[in-house]
């Protein structure tokens, strides 16, 4: 899929939570059915698409912390027919033309799939620690701004806890399938 | 490094992907070759995805069951370590035992049932 500057592009704002990666994959595939192919994922929640022919394209997300072996990692996916689209934080976007009878998963066993979600959980746990540490600071400042900040932080912390619980259950289900 | 029976057995049983990767790394190979060979040798019944392959190789290397050999054109080749060979052998012994017991019990694998 080459980038043609003359081809129409559009940006779509859509939010997917950490536990909604499969929905995100399905949505990107649906967009491809409508002729919109993912081009950029630089900004969280903002997807850049470019116009093309409607195609059945499977999108898969991996999650990796750090770069370690980036070249070999990319090459392995490329060898297996997966196009690299972009990276957003730890999330890595791959796509492949869907061909009947051919594999369309990047994770073919439960253990390695579980490890992906465990990496996500690690980052979420760090975020939760961050919120816990800085939760007390607004109180020092005082005033309405501090209250608003505290509410926002509290809400985000609750979301992170929900994400952790959701992914923990997913990991447990995956690991039970031995 | 200790290679007592208990020590090696903690790596068992190998996952399906882990088994095929280790079996194919008895000879030095890079990741994609392992993937291709697994599909070819199993007649298409077993496929290993790149996410799984990369994750498994990373884990096997960390557990000192495989070692890095060389890199060419951004493809890294690995092969079994002595420890890895010992673990694979123990897994094969177990698998043979399982198949033998199944045969003794009159249980035959039916290729269509897979």
């Amino acid at each position: 899929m080459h980038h043609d500057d003359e081809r129409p592009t559009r940006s779509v704002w859509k939010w997917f939570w950490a536990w909604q990666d499969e929905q995100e994959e399905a949505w990107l595939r649906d967009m491809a059915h409508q002729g919109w192919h993912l081009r950029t994922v630089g900004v969280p929640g903002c997807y850049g698409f470019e116009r093309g022919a409607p195609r059945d394209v499977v999108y898969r997300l991996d999650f990796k912390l750090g770069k370690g072996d980036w070249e070999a990692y990319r090459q392995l996916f490329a060898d297996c027919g997966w196009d690299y689209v972009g990276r957003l934080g730890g999330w890595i976007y791959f796509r492949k033309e869907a061909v009947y009878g051919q594999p369309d998963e990047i994770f073919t066993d439960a253990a390695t799939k579980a490890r992906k979600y465990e990496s996500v959980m690690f980052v979420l746990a760090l975020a939760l620690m961050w919120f816990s540490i800085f939760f007390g600071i607004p109180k020092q400042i005082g005033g309405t701004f501090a209250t608003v900040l505290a509410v926002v932080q509290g809400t985000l912390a609750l979301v992170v806890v929900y994400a952790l619980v959701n992914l923990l259950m997913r990991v447990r289900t995956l690991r039970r399938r031995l | 490094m200790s290679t007592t029976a208990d020590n090696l057995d903690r790596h068992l049983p190998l996952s399906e992907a882990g088994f095929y990767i280790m079996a194919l790394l008895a000879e030095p190979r890079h990741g994609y070759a392992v993937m291709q060979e697994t599909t070819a040798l199993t007649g298409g019944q077993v496929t290993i995805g790149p996410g799984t392959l990369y994750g498994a190789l990373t884990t096997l290397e960390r557990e000192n069951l495989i070692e890095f050999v060389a890199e060419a054109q951004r493809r890294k080749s690995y092969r079994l370590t002595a420890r890895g060979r010992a673990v694979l052998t123990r897994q094969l012994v177990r698998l043979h035992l399982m198949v033998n017991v199944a045969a003794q019990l009159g249980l035959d694998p039916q290729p269509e049932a897979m």
Side-chain angles (χ1 to χ4, degrees):
Chain A
M1 244 162 266
H2 52 277
H3 296 163
D4 188 348
D5 286 331
E6 313 211 337
R7 214 170 276 190
T9 61
R10 77 187 257 217
S11 293
V12 178
W13 289 86
K14 199 170 170 74
W15 187 259
F16 288 98
W17 296 104
W19 63 86
Q20 295 179 317
D21 59 327
E22 288 178 357
Q23 285 98 309
E24 189 175 356
E25 291 172 356
W27 179 69
L28 288 169
R29 185 173 189 172
D30 199 55
M31 291 295 279
H33 289 166
Q34 297 171 48
W36 289 106
H37 303 289
L38 190 64
R39 207 169 72 105
T40 57
V41 281
V43 177
C46 184
Y47 298 84
F49 292 92
E50 78 176 337
R51 200 91 182 91
R55 307 243 283 269
D56 191 13
V57 180
V58 179
Y59 283 83
R60 292 290 178 226
L61 270 52
D62 191 5
F63 187 87
K64 253 171 67 78
L65 296 167
K67 283 249 164 172
D69 261 357
W70 186 243
E71 293 295 315
Y73 174 81
R74 289 274 305 267
Q75 187 61 53
L76 182 58
F77 276 75
D79 283 344
C80 294
W82 290 92
D83 271 351
Y84 169 82
V85 185
R87 185 175 186 156
L88 180 62
W91 295 101
I92 307 167
Y93 292 72
F94 289 101
R95 69 169 158 225
K96 190 182 194 184
E97 195 88 20
V99 177
Y100 181 76
Q102 292 214 358
D104 63 2
E105 291 281 352
I106 58 178
F107 289 101
T108 47
D109 86 344
T112 46
K113 201 171 191 178
R115 212 171 296 136
K116 163 191 164 186
Y117 293 116
E118 283 168 351
S119 295
V120 180
M121 284 171 61
F122 179 75
V123 174
L124 289 172
L126 287 179
L128 193 60
M129 285 199 283
W130 172 276
F131 287 133
S132 308
I133 292 168
F134 289 93
F135 195 71
I137 290 183
K139 287 199 172 163
Q140 320 292 330
I141 307 169
T144 335
F145 175 73
T147 319
V148 170
L149 197 62
V151 169
V152 169
Q153 276 188 330
T155 315
L156 285 174
L158 283 174
V159 171
V160 170
V161 168
Y162 178 82
L164 277 167
V165 171
N166 187 302
L167 291 179
L168 179 64
M169 297 204 301
R170 196 179 298 187
V171 165
R172 287 185 61 185
T173 309
L174 284 167
R175 291 212 176 272
R176 220 175 286 144
R177 258 193 256 154
L178 244 146
Chain B
M1 172 157 310
S2 159
T3 49
T4 59
D6 293 334
N7 205 252
L8 297 175
D9 282 353
R10 72 176 172 81
H11 296 286
L12 302 183
L14 295 175
S15 66
E16 189 177 64
F19 171 79
Y20 286 107
I21 293 170
M22 287 185 72
L24 284 163
L25 290 181
E27 297 294 320
R29 282 189 168 92
H30 58 72
Y32 183 54
V34 170
M35 202 226 100
Q36 283 180 302
E37 283 296 307
T38 302
T39 307
L41 290 169
T42 61
Q45 292 194 75
V46 178
T47 338
I48 307 177
T52 293
L53 191 53
Y54 187 82
L57 287 172
T58 307
T59 304
L60 289 170
E61 192 181 17
R62 191 175 58 232
E63 293 178 339
N64 195 28
L65 295 174
I66 65 175
E67 61 189 357
F68 168 74
V69 175
E71 180 165 355
Q73 292 165 318
R74 294 188 303 275
R75 292 187 185 96
K76 293 188 158 190
S77 296
Y78 296 88
R79 72 163 162 238
L80 290 179
T81 58
R83 183 185 179 82
R85 266 175 222 281
V87 168
L88 183 62
T89 305
R90 294 187 76 77
Q91 175 70 87
L92 286 167
V93 166
R94 281 200 192 183
L95 289 170
H96 274 278
L97 185 57
M98 281 193 259
V99 171
N100 284 337
V101 169
Q104 285 176 60
L105 292 170
L107 301 165
D108 282 313
Q110 316 245 326
E112 307 84 55
M114 228 191 114

